[in-house]
Amino acid sequence: MTGLKVIRTRLGTLDASGRRRPEPQPGSEHVIAADLVVEAIGQQVEESLRLALEGVEFNRAGLIATRGDSLATSRPGVFAAGDIVNGGTTVVRAVAEGTRAAREIDAYVRG
């Protein structure tokens, strides 16, 4: 793993169902450097993930423990959000936590 390849999107025009679908923006592809990317699918934390997250504490429920009012974990520079922290609630909550984690990561990286 060297990074995560992403592309910017914009909402297109309404389709037959009334939904605006995301449309990739040509030329906006770029790679976000990363040593590890965890795909958020599944109902339980696999042992292989626990091993890959050395230094990250898990709580009694087997979820990643975060620090106080932050999404920072016990391992500096590692943040967690969504089902792996809250046990699974709603997509809205997962997106909100992901957005919050992104802000915390940005602040961490900027120092």
Side-chain angles (χ1 to χ4, degrees):
M1 170 67 61
T2 59
L4 178 67
K5 187 175 183 181
V6 297
I7 187 169
R8 292 190 187 281
T9 61
R10 286 199 180 128
L11 290 176
T13 57
L14 296 175
D15 64 14
S17 72
R19 180 173 181 221
R20 295 177 65 192
R21 303 232 181 244
E23 297 176 347
Q25 299 303 295
S28 67
E29 300 91 349
H30 60 282
V31 174
I32 300 172
D35 296 322
L36 175 71
V37 174
V38 178
E39 190 173 10
I41 59 172
Q43 298 300 313
Q44 58 187 342
V45 178
E46 297 290 332
E47 187 61 26
S48 60
L49 178 59
R50 288 176 182 270
L51 295 172
L53 295 175
E54 183 178 341
V56 172
E57 293 177 8
F58 288 79
N59 63 25
R60 290 181 188 192
L63 304 171
I64 292 179
T66 55
R67 300 292 178 212
D69 194 32
S70 171
L71 293 171
T73 69
S74 55
R75 181 174 167 181
V78 176
F79 297 78
D83 294 1
I84 201 161
V85 172
N86 65 45
T89 59
T90 66
V91 171
V92 172
R93 181 173 173 185
V95 170
E97 286 181 6
T99 301
R100 185 172 144 215
R103 286 190 194 109
E104 290 186 32
I105 292 165
D106 183 61
Y108 177 85
V109 170
R110 292 178 186 265

